[in-house]
Amino acid sequence: MKLIIHDLARDIEPADTETRVLKADGKYAPCQGCFHCWTKNPATCDLKDSLQEVCRVIGTADDVTVITENWYGGYSPAVKNIMDRAIGTSTPFSTYRGGQMHHTLRYGMHESYKVIVYGDMTEAEENTWKLMTERNACNEGYRTHEFVRISSPEELEGIAL
Amino acid sequence: MKTLFIDCSPKKKLSASGFIAGFTAAFTRGKKVREKLRNRADHERIFEHMEGADSVVFCMPLYVDGVPSHVLPFLKDMENRYKDREEKPAVYVIANNGFIEGRQNEPLMQVMENACARMGTEFHGGLGIGGGVMMNVMRILILVYFGLAVLNLVLSAVNEGVFNAGILLEFGKQVLEVLLLGCGIIAYDLWLAHCINRGRAYGKHYTRIMLPSFVFILCADIFFVISSVIDLGIFRGWLSAKKPSGE
């Protein structure tokens, strides 16, 4: 299954039945840092909004594409909120991955992680994005990762999602 | 000199970020203000305290390799308010993460540095702490040891009618052992406080709890097993790959 997470104003229609689209509309609460998605109700957030089971949606996807506005070399708040609320994709146990400590993966390894970033971007922010994409892919267990920079969402037309 | 410490943890109590903010403030001179940033309702109050501040110290946990989502709108708000102002506070960052390696805070530190560049404020550096959650364990341990020492002192005074100085020595030894775990954090943080006092750039530094990583992982695993037993999560498909409801 393929998952597209985006913060665009317009909707994205899934290309096929194997593709799922998650619109980051910001109509949800931020992570409260309780870890109950690990210790109390596994893979379920305590907050009862549209992201309550988002870790299951992300966890069951093989390929994930994130389309986000650039915010200081990181994700927009609406997209970052989804990621913060999805730590249930991993378990509370820890292991070594890429030579560093990380959590073990509830859903095993995934295939690809692609981040498409639009908006004004400095050179320093672009370098941060490259590091961020690599770190996220390692942390969440993706075999490959890719960072794509575009200047505006209109450029998405020519890019394979 | 005025320093504003912002605890950016979403937790209401017992946050490692709040603890390290308080610890750093204890070694910072001049007027010190501590504030919590948990949502947009906190922005206005924090900006009021930011007026006239020489330094702002953001203390935050690492969330998915970056800044917690609720902090980003605050940074944007700060950018809009401060980019055209001449007098701006210098920014320091203290980031802590649940992994053992302090260096895993580097992407967060870069995001904060980039935000400062957009605001036109000086990024005076930051401290990245690995195993930051152990700071909570350390302070709880010291309190427990203190309670036990007081209890033993009272018992020995009542039962034997003497003041047993050996109990205080033992307590001192236990405190030193606990502080040894955090000696890297303490040393780097004192250095950070010194830089705040002098208005100097600190640079980026990374430290950790002084435990071998495999011991730290074992401790973390045991902690989560106990937590999951107490919260009953261990009986609710604890490690299973649950599918979305309805599928």
Side-chain angles (χ1 to χ4, degrees):
Chain A
M1 204 260 284
K2 186 174 189 171
L3 175 67
I4 299 171
I5 302 171
H6 75 92
D7 62 3
L8 303 173
R10 66 177 172 88
D11 291 334
I12 292 180
E13 289 301 318
D16 50 52
T17 55
E18 287 298 297
T19 302
R20 196 171 200 156
V21 177
L22 184 56
K23 184 170 180 173
D25 57 13
K27 294 174 183 170
Y28 32 72
C31 173
Q32 300 299 299
C34 66
F35 295 134
H36 283 176
C37 56
W38 281 340
T39 63
K40 192 171 184 179
N41 297 300
T44 312
C45 184
D46 273 6
L47 302 172
K48 293 176 176 54
D49 56 20
S50 61
L51 298 186
Q52 192 176 19
E53 291 188 353
V54 73
C55 70
R56 303 184 186 195
V57 175
I58 295 175
T60 51
D62 303 306
D63 304 286
V64 173
T65 297
V66 179
I67 303 165
T68 176
E69 185 183 7
N70 170 47
W71 275 56
Y72 311 123
Y75 303 89
S76 66
V79 171
K80 186 62 170 48
N81 200 336
I82 290 176
M83 302 179 76
D84 290 353
R85 290 277 298 277
I87 63 163
T89 54
S90 59
T91 80
F93 282 129
S94 297
T95 185
Y96 294 101
R97 208 160 43 248
Q100 289 186 324
M101 182 182 168
H102 291 285
H103 288 287
T104 60
L105 303 166
R106 184 181 298 278
Y107 296 88
M109 289 292 287
H110 306 271
E111 287 305 318
S112 67
Y113 186 66
K114 184 175 185 176
V115 184
I116 302 171
V117 186
Y118 66 90
D120 174 39
M121 193 185 300
T122 66
E123 192 180 338
E125 287 169 347
E126 182 168 358
N127 289 333
T128 303
W129 265 116
K130 288 172 184 168
L131 176 66
M132 185 73 79
T133 309
E134 180 199 329
R135 298 302 306 165
N136 287 159
C138 177
N139 216 347
E140 307 302 321
Y142 292 89
R143 290 190 173 87
T144 63
H145 63 272
E146 185 183 3
F147 159 70
V148 179
R149 175 183 176 176
I150 58 175
S151 54
S152 73
E154 286 69 42
E155 284 183 42
L156 280 170
E157 300 302 326
I159 295 173
L161 302 179
Chain B
M1 192 183 89
K2 179 181 176 184
T3 308
L4 171 63
F5 292 85
I6 307 176
D7 170 10
C8 302
S9 170
K11 289 182 181 173
K12 285 181 182 167
K13 53 186 179 180
L14 274 181
S15 82
S17 302
F19 173 72
I20 197 72
F23 186 82
T24 314
F27 294 95
T28 306
R29 295 196 206 107
K31 185 177 181 186
K32 296 165 272 192
V33 182
R34 281 176 63 187
E35 276 295 338
K36 265 195 86 68
L37 171 58
R38 296 185 68 240
N39 52 51
R40 283 181 187 271
D42 297 322
H43 289 201
E44 206 55 47
R45 192 187 70 252
I46 296 173
F47 283 120
E48 280 174 22
H49 288 298
M50 202 179 283
E51 284 300 319
D54 301 282
S55 306
V56 176
V57 185
F58 285 91
C59 304
M60 67 181 82
L62 179 76
Y63 272 23
V64 195
D65 301 304
V67 172
S69 67
H70 71 280
V71 179
L72 293 166
F74 182 84
L75 296 176
K76 184 63 78 179
D77 209 352
M78 189 171 165
E79 179 191 336
N80 292 334
R81 288 168 189 247
Y82 277 85
K83 65 183 175 187
D84 295 324
R85 285 177 59 161
E86 285 196 5
E87 289 189 0
K88 303 171 187 184
V91 170
Y92 297 85
V93 177
I94 304 176
N96 70 87
N97 69 74
F99 303 128
I100 187 72
E101 301 91 0
R103 195 158 288 280
Q104 292 210 38
N105 292 297
E106 173 64 20
L108 178 154
M109 215 59 85
Q110 287 190 18
V111 167
M112 291 302 293
E113 193 169 5
N114 296 335
C116 287
R118 294 264 183 187
M119 291 171 203
T121 57
E122 283 194 63
F123 176 73
H124 269 196
L127 171 61
I129 299 170
V133 70
M134 282 292 282
M135 290 186 290
N136 275 336
V137 177
M138 286 166 60
R139 62 171 158 169
I140 290 168
L141 270 178
I142 289 175
L143 281 176
V144 169
Y145 287 148
F146 178 73
L148 288 173
V150 170
L151 186 68
N152 282 336
L153 277 175
V154 171
L155 286 176
S156 68
V158 170
N159 294 336
E160 300 160 25
V162 291
F163 176 78
N164 189 344
I167 293 170
L168 283 183
L169 279 176
E170 183 61 26
F171 171 64
K173 199 177 121 196
Q174 288 167 331
V175 169
L176 280 177
E177 283 169 359
V178 172
L179 291 181
L180 196 63
L181 282 178
C183 63
I185 298 170
I186 293 167
Y188 275 102
D189 195 58
L190 291 179
W191 181 11
L192 175 66
H194 175 73
C195 289
I196 294 170
N197 290 336
R198 295 293 176 94
R200 280 188 197 160
Y202 173 69
K204 283 191 282 188
H205 299 282
Y206 299 102
T207 186
R208 58 187 270 179
I209 285 287
M210 295 299 157
L211 278 176
S213 62
F214 71 93
V215 175
F216 181 78
I217 286 176
L218 188 64
C219 293
D221 287 353
I222 291 169
F223 169 80
F224 278 118
V225 169
I226 294 169
S227 299
S228 302
V229 169
I230 293 169
D231 289 341
L232 303 178
I234 208 162
F235 308 109
R236 296 178 182 135
W238 193 37
L239 307 175
S240 64
K242 297 188 175 194
K243 290 188 173 175
S245 298
E247 289 187 9

